[in-house]
Amino acid sequence: MATIAHTHNAAATSGIAGRLMAAIQHMQENRARRVIYRQTVRELNALTNRDLADLGISRAMISRLAHEAAWGSK
């Protein structure tokens, strides 16, 4: 059964239909990552300076931390 699924996946990735499906999946993944980024920025910006200081975070770090949460560290 796994062999059939693997063969089907290999056939699906070839040709224009496979490339289109891969492009759509890539766009969906990027959209989900942007949602995580925006949510992280929104939540960290909602904290007070005191709360951020307790966490060891400055306001200047929020964008970088949100990027790491969504896309991983560089």
Side-chain angles (χ1 to χ4, degrees), residues 8-10 13 15 20 26 42-44 47 52 56-57 62-63 66-67 70 74:
H8 177 68
N9 288 340
T13 58
L20 182 60
H26 184 68
R42 185 174 43 251
E43 290 178 3
L44 289 175
L47 296 175
L52 288 172
I57 299 171
I62 289 176
S63 179
H67 188 273
K74 295 177 183 178

Side-chain angles (χ1 to χ4, degrees), residues 10-45:
T13 58
S14 64
I16 192 162
R19 290 190 302 249
L20 182 60
M21 288 174 41
I24 290 170
Q25 182 180 10
H26 184 68
M27 288 188 309
Q28 289 172 337
E29 290 171 359
N30 280 337
R31 183 177 183 186
R33 290 178 190 274
R34 287 191 307 270
V35 168
I36 292 169
Y37 175 85
R38 286 191 306 267
Q39 180 180 1
T40 304
V41 168
R42 185 174 43 251
E43 290 178 3
L44 289 175
N45 277 328

